[in-house]
Amino acid sequence: RGITALPSSLEEAVAVFEHDPVLREAFGEALVDTVSVVRRGEIELFDGADPETICTATRWRH
């Protein structure tokens, strides 16, 4: 049917985001690259952390 499942991890979502030509065109190279770098930093920062630790660390951040 052409239905694709949504990414199941942040790493997978970033990869899909980076390679989507429609989003690159809409947002521009600089924004796509910046968002990707920030998200990859979060992936590295929280590698191996449980959900409660991630929630506690980021809850009031933004």
Side-chain angles (χ1 to χ4, degrees), residues 14-28:
V14 171
V16 171
F17 176 73
E18 289 173 325
H19 295 99
D20 188 304
V22 174
L23 293 177
R24 278 205 176 267
E25 177 68 27
F27 293 137

Side-chain angles (χ1 to χ4, degrees), residues 25-57:
E25 177 68 27
F27 293 137
E29 296 289 324
L31 181 59
V32 170
D33 292 345
T34 299
V35 169
S36 297
V37 167
V38 170
R39 295 297 173 245
R40 291 198 185 283
E42 291 173 342
I43 291 167
E44 185 177 327
L45 178 65
F46 294 114
D47 184 38
D50 62 272
E52 183 65 31
T53 301
I54 296 169
C55 186
T56 300

